[in-house]
Amino acid sequence: GLRNHIRGTMSEGSESGAPSSETVLFSETQMARTRPDSFLCSLAMINFVMHGDSQYRQEIPLRIGAIAAYIRHKGFPVRITQCLADRGPEEIERAGLVEADVYGFQLEMSNYPAMRAVAGIIRRRKPSALLVLAAPYPSSLAAAILENERLFDCVVSGEGEETMLEI
C-alpha cells in the first residue's frame, strides 16, 4: 500500500491554520529508508528539454528555479541540470551521473522516456537516493504511478517548495 502524507501547515497570511494543499505520496520502499536528522541532503533538480523547448542550457522553467532558490535559501545545496535529451544518448548518461541525495523531476508526457532512462541510471548508481516526481501530470495520477513505476519514490502534488524542504 501507499502512505498518504498530508502536511497541515499554516498558510502564509492565514490565521486559521488551514492545512496546506501540498500532498506527498511515498512508496513502501521509501518508507523503509531513514537518514539521521543531522544529515544534510543535496538536491539535484533535473529538467528535460524536449523538441525545441529551449535553446540554451541556462533556460530553466520558473517552477524549478523557484523551488531551487527556496531550498538554497534554507541552507541546502541544490544543483539544476538541463538534460537536452533530443541531442542524443550522451545527454541521458550525463544527467544520470549528477551527484545528489535527492533528485527532483518535472514530469511531462513528452519527457517520460528520457526521464525514466536517467532515473534508471541514478537508481543503479545510487540505490538509496530519493527520486521525486512533480508537475500537474503526476499529481493527478500519483497513486497509479507509484504502484506501477518502481524507479520513483514519491510524487509531490501542489506547489512544492515546503514539501521539497520537508523531504
Side-chain angles (χ1 to χ4, degrees):
L2 299 173
R3 175 180 173 207
N4 187 5
H5 175 72
I6 302 175
R7 292 184 312 102
T9 60
M10 182 177 266
S11 304
E12 263 194 56
S14 168
E15 295 178 13
S16 68
S20 105
S21 62
E22 297 174 359
T23 303
V24 183
L25 291 175
F26 287 93
S27 69
E28 288 288 333
T29 303
Q30 182 52 35
M31 294 308 299
R33 295 185 190 145
T34 59
R35 289 208 166 99
D37 288 338
S38 62
F39 183 79
L40 182 63
C41 290
S42 60
L43 170 64
M45 300 188 72
I46 301 175
N47 181 54
F48 293 82
V49 179
M50 306 293 293
H51 313 296
D53 283 348
S54 169
Q55 296 178 10
Y56 307 103
R57 285 196 194 278
Q58 296 83 2
E59 293 178 20
I60 60 168
L62 182 58
R63 215 53 244 140
I64 289 176
I67 292 170
Y70 182 79
I71 300 300
R72 280 184 184 144
H73 177 74
K74 295 295 185 176
F76 290 89
V78 179
R79 177 176 181 172
I80 299 172
T81 297
Q82 297 280 66
C83 178
L84 306 174
D86 290 345
R87 294 189 180 173
E90 64 280 352
E91 281 287 310
I92 301 291
E93 184 68 25
R94 184 187 63 78
L97 296 177
V98 170
E99 286 298 323
D101 302 300
V102 178
Y103 295 84
F105 299 92
Q106 181 174 323
L107 176 59
E108 304 297 334
M109 292 301 292
S110 64
N111 72 3
Y112 182 72
M115 183 183 344
R116 193 169 192 294
V118 170
I121 293 168
I122 293 168
R123 183 61 72 209
R124 284 188 296 280
R125 278 188 334 100
K126 298 185 79 171
S128 65
L130 179 66
L131 279 62
V132 180
L133 288 176
Y137 168 69
S139 296
S140 64
L141 298 170
I145 290 170
L146 289 175
E147 287 173 6
N148 296 298
E149 179 57 76
R150 298 292 176 204
L151 285 173
F152 301 99
D153 297 303
C154 64
V155 174
V156 174
S157 175
E159 290 302 315
E161 284 89 339
E162 289 292 328
T163 304
M164 285 302 289
L165 181 62
E166 187 175 313
I167 290 171

